[in-house]
Amino acid sequence: RVQLNSVGKQVSQCVRGHAAGCAKYVAPAATKPSLPLVLAGRTAAAIRLLGPEVSKGDAPTPFAKRANDIFFPPEAVADFPVSMQISEKYEVVYMITKMGYVHMFDLSTGTLIYRNRISGETIFVTCFQDANEGVMMVNRKGQVLPLSIDETNIVPYTSTTTNN
């Protein structure tokens, strides 16, 4: 469970999830950012990526709440998210799992951009890297694993991979 706390409303709420992250998102035709909350959690049936809007911006169309199922390969059926980091610059959600998989999603649509196993060891800590809008991870063996977006290849890769 993830506990959410609203300072303004002085209220807290528990929601199902293993990892969560927030980011400022400026929708097309908006001047004020909205604040979507991205949650990832495992249920008995599936792992889902959810994206409700916590704070509304001034976009003509509000940020749409999404619920996307996340695919895991057969060898990772017991895997679950341990960290969620969000790049506001690239509008990309990095979801890192215990078994060393990285899933990258488009923030506005929840579309999977990239998925790969980057470590055969358990990932136990991650942090966002402001310098390159990427993620640093440390696995059980103490290996430091950096991950960032290659600006020269992201658009061609995304265009061919997601057909978008």
Side-chain angles (χ1 to χ4, degrees), residues 35 75 113 144:
L35 189 65
E75 66 272 11
I113 298 170
V144 177

Side-chain angles (χ1 to χ4, degrees), residues 124-140:
F124 72 91
V125 68
T126 70
C127 68
F128 188 72
Q129 268 191 302
D130 290 325
N132 64 4
E133 294 282 318
V135 180
M136 288 290 255
M137 298 157 274
V138 179
N139 68 15
R140 179 171 276 162

Side-chain angles (χ1 to χ4, degrees), residues 19-144:
C22 276
K24 292 179 184 171
Y25 172 72
V26 180
T31 58
K32 181 180 170 191
S34 62
L35 189 65
L37 171 68
V38 183
L39 290 162
R42 179 182 268 299
T43 64
I47 293 183
R48 303 202 95 186
L49 183 72
L50 301 170
E53 190 175 40
V54 177
S55 175
K56 299 191 182 314
D58 63 354
T61 307
F63 189 86
K65 181 178 180 180
R66 308 216 184 274
N68 298 11
D69 287 337
I70 301 169
F71 170 79
F72 279 88
E75 66 272 11
V77 292
D79 201 7
F80 60 91
V82 294
S83 177
M84 186 86 64
Q85 305 289 341
I86 302 174
S87 167
E88 291 178 1
K89 177 180 178 182
Y90 297 120
E91 298 176 0
V92 167
V93 176
Y94 298 95
M95 184 188 80
I96 296 94
T97 72
K98 179 181 178 186
M99 293 178 72
Y101 285 88
V102 171
H103 300 250
M104 293 169 57
F105 301 94
D106 177 77
L107 176 61
S108 64
T109 64
T111 302
L112 179 69
I113 298 170
Y114 178 78
R115 175 185 53 240
N116 201 359
R117 189 167 195 183
I118 59 157
S119 176
E121 298 294 321
T122 300
I123 301 291
F124 72 91
V125 68
T126 70
C127 68
F128 188 72
Q129 268 191 302
D130 290 325
N132 64 4
E133 294 282 318
V135 180
M136 288 290 255
M137 298 157 274
V138 179
N139 68 15
R140 179 171 276 162
K141 285 188 173 180
Q143 294 173 304
V144 177

